[in-house]
């Protein structure tokens, strides 16, 4: 009789654990879906804002144009698609068999991503922009000059903010 009672208790408890596990899994799936949708919308919004920022620029379009294929590649792999795209672009940049134009444009995409992503890193973006300027002259001169100026202004702004917050 004791074994039957214990068996019933085990069955009861396993049913509870199963229900709880299913509930947790459902919540995780819902949360992951929300993250995917948020990522896709952020990519779309960022791309649209970038296009608006450069519309009417006197820099040649081929210098600042971001390939919609790269954006689609990143969007198709949420929520880590941007990281996958950056990895692919760095492989292109590091491939000596690619033309200088292709390599510089790949690195430009990476620099812009580091400037525009939520967790922006202006130091890395600045390094890549300087590499483009120094190693690939004539490919992105106008846009790189403007972006380097923007990086400097943002760094100065952040420095001013840090100076006032320390006191």
């Amino acid at each position: 009789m004791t074994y039957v009672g214990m068996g019933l208790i085990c069955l009861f408890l396993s049913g509870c654990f199963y229900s709880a596990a299913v509930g947790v899994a459902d919540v995780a799936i819902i949360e992951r879906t929300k993250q995917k949708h948020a990522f896709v919308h952020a990519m779309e919004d960022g791309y649209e804002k970038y296009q608006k920022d450069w519309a009417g620029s006197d820099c040649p379009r081929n210098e600042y144009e971001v390939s919609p294929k790269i954006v689609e590649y990143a969007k198709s792999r949420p929520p880590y698609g941007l990281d996958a795209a950056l990895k692919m672009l760095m492989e292109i940049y590091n491939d000596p068999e690619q033309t200088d134009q292709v390599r510089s444009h790949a690195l430009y995409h990476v620099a812009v991503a580091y400037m525009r992503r939520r967790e922006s890193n202006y130091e890395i973006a600045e390094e890549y922009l300087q590499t483009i300027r120094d190693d690939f002259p004539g490919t992105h001169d106008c846009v790189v000059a403007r972006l380097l100026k923007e990086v400097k202004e943002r760094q100065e702004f952040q420095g001013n903010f840090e100076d006032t917050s320390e006191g």
Side-chain angles (χ1 to χ4, degrees):
M1 187 69 161
T2 305
Y3 292 114
V4 172
M6 295 209 35
L8 288 174
I9 290 173
C10 285
L11 285 173
F12 173 73
L13 289 176
S14 67
C16 290
F17 288 130
Y18 174 78
S19 297
V22 168
V24 169
D26 287 346
V27 169
I29 290 169
I30 291 169
E31 186 59 31
R32 176 93 169 146
T33 302
K34 286 180 184 178
Q35 288 176 345
K36 287 179 178 181
H37 287 296
F39 172 79
V40 169
H41 289 299
M43 287 292 301
E44 290 170 347
D45 292 345
Y47 182 66
E48 185 177 319
K49 182 180 181 329
Y50 177 84
Q51 298 291 37
K52 286 180 182 177
D53 288 349
W54 286 99
S57 167
D58 60 347
C59 291
R61 183 174 177 79
N62 66 322
E63 285 191 18
Y64 64 82
E65 187 172 38
V66 170
S67 170
K69 290 181 180 181
I70 297 296
V71 175
E72 288 304 316
Y73 177 87
K75 282 178 18 183
S76 70
R77 291 159 175 79
Y80 304 108
L82 185 56
D83 294 328
L86 291 174
K87 181 180 177 195
M88 179 190 65
L89 288 164
M90 287 304 293
E91 289 171 2
I92 292 169
Y93 164 69
N94 288 313
D95 182 356
E97 294 185 18
Q98 297 293 334
T99 66
D100 283 353
Q101 184 70 30
V102 169
R103 292 179 63 228
S104 69
H105 207 59
L107 192 58
Y108 175 76
H109 279 79
V110 174
V112 168
Y114 275 102
M115 287 183 73
R116 300 289 176 130
R117 71 190 306 175
R118 188 173 306 157
E119 313 83 32
S120 58
N121 188 324
Y122 292 103
E123 290 80 24
I124 292 174
E126 180 180 31
E127 178 184 327
Y128 291 150
L129 291 168
Q130 289 172 348
T131 298
I132 295 166
R133 180 193 63 202
D134 298 341
D135 295 351
F136 304 103
T139 61
H140 293 82
D141 296 344
C142 180
V143 70
V144 165
R146 286 189 180 205
L147 291 177
L148 284 170
K149 182 180 176 188
E150 181 182 331
V151 166
K152 183 179 178 186
E153 289 170 354
R154 288 180 184 262
Q155 288 171 336
E156 287 173 359
F157 176 77
Q158 288 173 343
N160 291 337
F161 181 73
E162 290 169 3
D163 291 344
T164 59
S165 65
E166 289 177 2

